[in-house]
Amino acid sequence: MPKTLRRTVSCATVAATLVAAPLVSVSSALADPAGTGLVIGEAYLKGGSANAPYNGKFVEIANPTASPVSLAGWSLQYRPAAGTGSFTASALEGTVPAGGTFLVAMPGNGGATPVGADLPTPDDTVSLNVSGTTGTLALSDRTAPLTLPAGAVATGTPGVVDLLGYGASNTFERTVRPVTGTNAVPNALTRTGTTDTDDNGADFVETTTPTPRNSAGQTSGGGTPGTGTPGTGTPDPGTPTTPAEQVTVAQLQGTGAASPYAGKRVTTEGVVTAVYPTGGLNGYTIQTAGTGGALDLTTHTASDAVFVFSAATVGSVAIGDAVRLTGEVSEFNGLTELTVASTADLVRLPATGVAQPVPATLAFPRTDAQRESLESMLLAPQGSYTVADTFTTNQYGEVVLASGTKRLIQPTEVARPGSAEAAAVAADNAARKVVLDDGASTNFLSAANQSIPVSWLTQGPVTVGAAATFSKPVVLDYRNDTWKFQPTSPITGATPVATLPASFSNVRTAAPAQVGGDLELAGFNVLNYFPTTGDQLTGCTYYTDRDGDPVTVRGGCDARGAANADDLARQQVKIVKAINGLGADVVSLEEIENSARFGRDRDAAVGTLVAALNAATGQDTWAYVKSPAKLPASEDVIRLALIYKQDRVAPVGESTILDDPAFVNARQPVADAFRPVGGTADDDFLVIANHFKSKGSGSGADADTGDGQGASNASRVAQAKALAGFSTTEQAKYGTDRVFMLGDFNAYSQEDPMVVLREAGYTDLGPALDASEWSYVFGGLSGSLDHVLASPAALADVTGVDIWNINSVESVGLEYSRYDYNVTDLYRDDVYRASDHDPILVGFDVASGSGTPGAGGTPGTGTGTGGNGTGAGSGPGTGPSPVAPTAPTLTDAVRGGVTAPATVRAGETITVGVGTARAGERIAVWLYSDPVLLATATVRADGTVRVTIPAGTTAGAHRLAVTAADGSLVGWTPIRVVDPATGTLAFTGAELGGGLAAALLLLTAGAGVLVARRRRQVRTA
């Protein structure tokens, strides 16, 4: 029977498409972004080879529309991977049914003895001799051979309806789709979704389970296609060759990954537990009566439920119905299905005496085998769940979760690439990942569905790191090569909150944590901030909103940002609020326009942003470091910049740009030294802003080696080495060894470039002092591409670090660049999703006792006791250092008044509570047995401060005490410190082996940092 294409896009696959799309300048063919025409749905090109599941090759053409499409005058065409001449064309005949597929067969490999089963009866056969591993396929609306240039196919290329470049093909849509292995490695390329986002590398994924389906709905060889009219919903399934066998659902499912009845016609009974009449799934689930509840997965080895694909009967059933069904069993991309072709194959059974299934009360299983034993069953998920990714939430209404209280982690964030420890992290990620879906395959960004409110996000913020709490049962489903929790009926943004199966905690923070210190600096990626908007240039193409209005530049010109002034205003207000909200005195900027590329002053764009920052503060707060007289001969269209608060610091001399061949494919670092206002040369510190080569492309020595570091790792290593040398030179130039190197290094914390910088003597402050937060989320995995590295002299003055999670953890739908893409307006003029990278904030003390800069307005003289920054004498000044209470005074009588986690790990940053009554007060936090000053900090409005347990703290029982500014004891609380090397720390709360524990120890220990605020000597009069 015709089968509506139901492949939705998985989070891991799309992570390279929509979020990056507005930033990509390559112009390539847009085959069908709205889902209004035919596409290549699947290509299985290794048929007949060793290990092949089928003896013939096939291309499946998909029709996502509501009308049949004739292929008269159309052709399927092929050209070898390195070819530049004409394609070989083979004419097509037939009709692709509405919402269905059309199977085109091709000769398989293997000669007279091909390997594999027969394909379902093909709708058409062509004689193309296609490579199984590399080449270019084209679906054309003409029969004449195409002649296309190598490279990305241009927009609107005549004759190209859809194109797939795979393997090492030189012709493709945006990026080529890689193929794993030789012909002996059985796999196929299947489209992720019914629309064509114009990117072969993202639109297609590999599957080891090819799913040929002809226009009659057949999925296995033998039999004759039905004679019913395609697209009517009630086709003739053909005459079965054998009668249906009566089986239980558990027998149908079997105990393995695939059903033992696949390709056979069976009859089974069950109770309807979920129904999906809208949204594209076109089916329902049934479960054996009375099953579920508290299951023991050591003995429960076969699922008691199955998904029923049946457009013909889905509208005729309701949750709770007892039914007898007859249909064909199949495996659709790993999900066992029973296809019920017509209402005649549905029999309602009496409800009397039928025990309703109950949800299985289980935590999410860590193995596929255990998950298979629960496939399609009702679940009441037990335990904790944490949001790990929201990248595709605004498009497909799905939220990636991690079982447990921790996010999913990039392996190379905590372990060396290619190591056993990295493999252990990857395995842990796979064991904990599950996707919360919305019971539909709706693409909320397609023209057909933009008027439907997007699921989950409409009802409230869904933020990475938030806890997901289940209040209603879900179905354990398998689609798009991932396990999913499906609600028992489709949901959208219009679904009342009370009826949703899950809710999310609000983990947003209105401001970064207090980091202490006399001064603060930060790095901020401004997401291609371009005051030169697309409408000021010629040739620009755009991404448009649902009304067709341009929002961001797509290509055709050098601009990369907003399409016009309105779009720039939406982008700018978020960036301005976020930077002003940081509280930093010096900020490095990445991805800001290099205005020289547009014939303007090089600093025009940064000047525009500074003017906006000052307009928001109502005074001349900010200034920018001007470009040096000596500039590189060649620069990118984006650049780095440094801005600073004029009443806090001032640049020392002219800035310097590193003009080194290592940065030919990246942005050249810029450096300048700063001196606190009222300070001396002893207080100078050097800041170097960086933006290394990205991971997305590279060849030769820069090719992706598969060790987890991505492409262009060799370039980033060379850039790290050049940066280390540059730092040494600049230290001599400016006369200071207090250096902070910060920015987007495009390398996670344990990757080669960061090792180069650590071995050069620098400490990566994020993993060393704030190891529980990360700056970036990609592919559902959290890690830090953004870093602040401190030289030993600078490290001695560091008082605190905070990664302010306002960007990477938020849905891309909140960006200015996604404005008005859906009827739900997710945009707000606040700090959340101002960029895709999170800013990192560092607090540090000045080097001498010569006074502290003001905190706004006139700089303080350093002789006062603190103020609000509007007069003279703000900041801590030169008052006495805090004095630790003696251990005998920490008695049970004064225990309390302080809250902190009962158990922490060495190197962890924690929240200490002292009550809102002390908001605004200055306190000192101490760790006993030996009194170690963790921090002196100002209590936030919520009554808390953030402190870091020193990485070298001895494991065991300790006491955490707090004293007020006058030295009096606020209170104390017991606290247990865990040594990561003991193996007691794990992502799931279970014990880990020594390898991963050692990696975590390396991460949290940094360079043996003890987080103690530097005590300055009191200046004598």
Side-chain angles (χ1 to χ4, degrees), residues 390-415:
T390 60
F391 183 78
T392 59
T393 308
N394 72 309
Q395 185 175 17
Y396 290 102
E398 55 188 9
V399 181
V400 179
L401 303 178
S403 62
T405 59
K406 303 291 185 181
R407 302 195 216 172
L408 305 178
I409 306 299
Q410 285 282 357
T412 54
E413 176 63 28
V414 296

Side-chain angles (χ1 to χ4, degrees), residues 554-577:
R554 179 189 182 115
C557 61
D558 277 343
R560 294 187 183 179
N564 54 48
D566 289 342
D567 302 315
L568 176 63
R570 283 194 300 273
Q571 179 187 23
Q572 182 173 276
V573 69
K574 294 179 84 74
I575 294 172
V576 165
K577 288 186 175 182

Side-chain angles (χ1 to χ4, degrees), residues 138-204:
L139 178 62
S140 176
D141 57 3
R142 59 186 62 181
T143 56
L146 296 170
T147 301
L148 302 176
V153 179
T155 301
T157 299
V160 178
V161 177
D162 195 15
L163 182 139
L164 169 59
Y166 60 98
S169 173
N170 64 8
T171 310
F172 43 81
E173 290 183 351
R174 192 179 299 277
T175 61
V176 72
R177 171 63 244 182
V179 174
T180 300
T182 64
N183 282 336
V185 179
N187 49 36
L189 303 177
T190 182
R191 179 175 293 279
T192 56
T194 60
T195 61
D196 183 0
T197 66
D198 206 21
D199 188 338
N200 292 156
D203 286 346
F204 288 85

Side-chain angles (χ1 to χ4, degrees), residues 362-366 380-388 400-408 431-434 465-470 485 502-505 987-989:
L362 294 165
F364 182 61
R366 290 179 61 87
Q382 304 295 296
S384 299
Y385 294 86
T386 303
V387 176
V400 179
L401 303 178
S403 62
T405 59
K406 303 291 185 181
R407 302 195 216 172
L408 305 178
R432 297 193 299 123
K433 176 185 174 182
V434 61
T469 302
F470 289 89
F485 289 152
S503 60
F504 306 95
S505 65
F987 297 110
T988 62

Side-chain angles (χ1 to χ4, degrees), residues 20 407 418 460 519 582 614 830:
R407 302 195 216 172
L519 292 171
L582 271 170
N614 288 337
D830 55 23

Side-chain angles (χ1 to χ4, degrees), residues 596-636:
R597 290 288 291 266
F598 303 103
R600 304 170 65 195
D601 184 277
R602 186 177 185 272
D603 295 329
V606 68
T608 299
L609 180 56
V610 164
L613 289 164
N614 288 337
T617 63
Q619 53 186 319
D620 199 20
T621 304
W622 293 91
Y624 62 87
V625 174
K626 294 182 179 179
S627 294
K630 183 179 180 181
L631 298 172
S634 177
E635 291 189 279
D636 197 354

Side-chain angles (χ1 to χ4, degrees), residues 612-919:
L613 289 164
N614 288 337
T617 63
Q619 53 186 319
D620 199 20
T621 304
W622 293 91
Y624 62 87
V625 174
K626 294 182 179 179
S627 294
K630 183 179 180 181
L631 298 172
S634 177
E635 291 189 279
D636 197 354
V637 72
I638 56 174
R639 52 164 285 199
L640 295 151
L642 294 168
I643 63 175
Y644 61 95
K645 288 180 177 175
Q646 299 184 85
D647 65 349
R648 303 282 287 158
V649 298
V652 180
E654 186 183 49
S655 64
T656 306
I657 296 176
L658 173 57
D659 190 5
D660 188 281
F663 289 90
V664 67
N665 58 358
R667 282 59 53 182
Q668 294 93 338
V670 60
D672 207 346
F674 291 88
R675 180 174 300 170
V677 171
T680 69
D682 290 337
D683 300 318
D684 290 356
F685 57 95
L686 179 63
V687 179
I688 307 177
N690 300 273
H691 191 180
F692 283 12
K693 175 69 176 75
S694 68
K695 294 174 175 288
S697 61
S699 58
D702 267 340
D704 188 344
T705 63
D707 65 353
Q709 301 189 87
S712 294
N713 185 58
S715 282
R716 288 190 295 276
V717 168
Q719 289 157 12
K721 292 177 179 178
L723 173 62
F726 180 56
S727 175
T728 300
T729 301
E730 295 305 289
Q731 291 176 50
K733 171 182 174 182
Y734 290 107
T736 180
D737 59 355
R738 303 169 74 232
V739 185
F740 295 99
M741 304 188 300
L742 70 168
D744 179 1
F745 291 79
N746 271 311
Y748 293 109
S749 298
Q750 293 298 321
E751 293 182 1
D752 295 343
M754 307 314 298
V755 171
V756 167
L757 295 172
R758 286 204 304 270
E759 290 178 347
Y762 296 89
T763 297
D764 192 353
L765 297 179
L769 306 183
D770 191 15
S772 61
E773 295 181 303
W774 304 273
S775 73
Y776 199 64
V777 179
F778 183 82
L781 305 179
S782 294
S784 287
L785 296 177
D786 310 88
H787 305 269
V788 179
L789 295 110
S791 65
L795 178 64
D797 295 321
V798 171
T799 57
V801 177
D802 184 51
I803 300 175
W804 191 19
N805 289 147
I806 55 172
N807 296 326
S808 71
V809 296
E810 299 285 348
S811 167
V812 67
L814 278 61
E815 278 184 15
Y816 90 95
S817 61
R818 301 302 194 274
Y819 178 74
D820 198 26
Y821 272 32
N822 181 264
V823 66
T824 297
D825 183 7
L826 298 173
Y827 175 85
R828 300 290 185 271
D829 61 351
D830 55 23
V831 301
Y832 304 111
R833 200 67 190 194
S835 178
D836 54 346
H837 295 247
D838 290 320
I840 305 180
L841 184 66
V842 175
F844 62 99
D845 284 338
V846 296
S848 72
S850 61
T852 313
T858 304
T861 64
T863 60
T865 59
N868 59 13
T870 59
S874 62
T878 58
S881 299
V883 177
T886 60
T889 64
L890 303 182
T891 64
D892 287 341
V894 292
R895 177 174 172 174
V898 176
T899 61
T903 302
V904 299
R905 68 176 184 263
E908 182 178 2
T909 299
I910 63 172
T911 298
V912 177
V914 294
T916 55
R918 293 188 178 274

